[in-house]
């Protein structure tokens, strides 16, 4: 008798952008604490999730993206590593399943330094998971999380979870760290600052010829809620008002330009379009393709 399958196949999906190949890698998922949402009531959250057939608490995909361009390999985000429980930390396993080894990565690009995006930079022993990679992060992000004065007044949970964790992940890469602001940072990849969620929150526009995709980081965390209700913020937004303004700006740009986007918390594999829905917006997953 054949055994009953007990796990999913690797979370890998490839999308060609001109001659660039972008590979979505699932790091896994996390279940969000509804208490972190602001500018929305608990009954409204429950109703939206029920209407969209989503569980309560809401389940967030956590994605990363490999970029193969001109003989080089970049990784956008490193995932959570071993720091956020057994449902996360799958980036390296899925990377290997896709045919790429961590030592093949020559550039790591981070949208920001929250733990589900950056805690996979190092292993539990504090060694670099990407030994041959240069690490690129917006300089405002680096300055913020290494600011002793800001850390000294942060609540204990944020001090440990964000400030201390960021410093621990950055330390082994000090010799390979290159702070950035904007412009091309990798062949075909342009850094686009989108501050608000964090001071140095950065999107990456991947473009070749007439094709492009905007990897927009944490523009949304729970798509069912924040696409429909852009004014909803989270407790860990550094500047909630700026985060809302930037989210609306990106939604308007994506709808006007019919732009393909990819998000770290858009349901895997994360490639989608934004459309207008009455007075708000909707997110439409891109049609799955079996070939590059």
């Amino acid at each position: 008798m054949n055994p009953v399958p007990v796990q999913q196949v690797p979370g890998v999906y490839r999308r060609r952008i001109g001659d660039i190949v972008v590979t979505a890698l699932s790091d896994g998922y996390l279940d969000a604490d509804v208490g972190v949402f602001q500018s929305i009531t608990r009954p409204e959250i429950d109703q939206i999730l029920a209407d969209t057939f989503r569980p309560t608490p809401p389940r967030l995909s956590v994605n990363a993206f490999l970029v193969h361009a001109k003989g080089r390999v970049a990784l956008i985000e490193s995932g959570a590593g071993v720091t956020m429980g057994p449902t996360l930390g799958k980036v390296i396993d899925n990377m290997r399943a896709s045919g790429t080894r961590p030592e093949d990565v020559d550039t790591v690009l981070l949208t920001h330094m929250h733990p589900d995006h950056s805690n996979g930079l190092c292993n539990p022993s504090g060694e670099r998971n990407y030994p041959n990679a240069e690490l690129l992060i917006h300089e405002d992000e680096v300055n913020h999380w290494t600011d002793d004065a800001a850390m000294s007044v942060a609540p204990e949970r944020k001090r440990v979870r964000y400030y201390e964790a960021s410093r621990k992940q950055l330390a082994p890469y000090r010799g390979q760290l290159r702070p950035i602001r904007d412009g091309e940072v990798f062949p075909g990849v342009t850094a686009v600052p989108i501050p608000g969620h964090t001071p140095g929150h950065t999107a990456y526009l991947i473009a070749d010829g007439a094709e492009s995709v905007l990897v927009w980081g944490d523009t949304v965390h729970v798509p069912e809620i924040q696409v429909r209700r852009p004014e909803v913020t989270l407790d860990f937004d550094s500047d909630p008002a700026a985060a809302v303004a930037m989210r609306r700006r990106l939604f308007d740009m994506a709808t006007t330009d019919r732009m393909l986007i990819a998000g770290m918390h858009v349901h895997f594999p994360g490639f989608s379009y934004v459309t207008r829905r009455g007075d708000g917006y909707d997110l439409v997953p891109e049609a799955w393709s079996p070939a590059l």
Side-chain angles (χ1 to χ4, degrees):
M1 179 180 295
N2 290 327
V4 175
V6 295
Q7 63 184 19
Q8 297 286 7
V9 297
V12 175
Y13 180 82
R14 292 188 171 95
R15 172 64 157 85
R16 186 176 288 278
I17 302 294
D19 289 332
I20 299 173
V21 175
V22 181
T23 303
L25 302 175
S26 174
D27 192 51
Y29 69 89
L30 62 88
D31 292 327
D33 175 7
V34 295
V36 303
F37 291 95
Q38 301 170 336
S39 302
I40 189 171
T41 66
R42 177 60 188 266
E44 288 174 317
I45 292 173
D46 292 343
Q47 188 62 59
I48 290 172
L49 295 176
D51 289 347
T52 54
F53 301 96
R54 297 295 176 183
T56 302
R59 178 158 291 179
L60 280 64
S61 288
V62 179
N63 307 323
F65 298 90
L66 277 175
V67 181
H68 285 79
K70 297 188 181 300
R72 296 179 59 190
V73 183
L75 174 66
I76 304 178
E77 312 291 54
S78 67
V82 298
T83 66
M84 295 182 67
T87 65
L88 289 170
K90 317 300 182 187
V91 161
I92 289 179
D93 287 344
N94 285 329
M95 179 187 298
R96 291 187 186 279
S98 78
T100 298
R101 304 170 303 167
E103 54 266 36
D104 297 332
V105 176
D106 55 58
T107 305
V108 175
L109 305 169
L110 293 186
T111 64
H112 62 298
M113 288 292 299
H114 279 170
D116 52 325
H117 300 259
S118 60
N119 278 9
L121 288 173
C122 302
N123 65 24
S125 299
E127 300 164 328
R128 287 180 291 159
N129 279 329
Y130 304 97
N132 301 318
E134 184 179 39
L135 176 61
L136 277 61
I137 317 170
H138 195 284
E139 66 179 350
D140 290 350
E141 195 73 4
V142 176
N143 292 340
H144 178 72
W145 299 116
T146 58
D147 183 339
D148 290 339
M151 185 172 77
S152 69
V153 298
E156 182 178 3
R157 182 175 183 274
K158 291 185 178 181
R159 176 177 57 79
V160 173
R161 187 175 178 83
Y162 300 126
Y163 288 91
E164 292 183 3
S166 293
R167 295 171 185 218
K168 182 177 180 180
Q169 295 299 318
L170 285 174
Y173 288 86
R174 278 299 178 186
Q176 291 74 36
L177 176 63
R178 177 157 66 95
I180 59 173
R181 295 205 69 84
D182 55 19
E184 188 172 59
V185 293
F186 186 83
V189 181
T190 299
V192 181
I194 53 170
H197 177 53
T198 64
H201 193 205
T202 301
Y204 294 99
L205 179 65
I206 304 170
D208 187 48
E211 296 187 71
S212 65
V213 59
L214 182 70
V215 180
W216 70 6
D218 275 9
T219 294
V220 299
H221 290 79
V222 179
E224 291 77 20
I225 294 174
Q226 289 177 292
V227 175
R228 184 177 299 190
R229 297 276 302 273
E231 76 278 10
V232 174
T233 59
L234 295 98
D235 173 66
F236 40 84
D237 285 329
S238 294
D239 184 336
V244 170
M246 186 59 69
R247 183 158 42 250
R248 292 187 183 278
R249 174 184 164 194
L250 290 176
F251 287 177
D252 286 342
M253 180 174 69
T255 55
T256 299
D257 298 342
R258 298 179 65 83
M259 176 183 290
L260 179 68
I261 66 91
M264 279 56 199
H265 300 303
V266 177
H267 301 301
F268 186 81
F271 297 102
S272 301
Y273 294 94
V274 182
T275 62
R276 296 196 183 277
R277 180 181 184 272
D279 294 332
Y281 305 88
D282 205 354
L283 202 63
V284 180
E286 183 185 42
W288 186 85
S289 173
L292 294 179

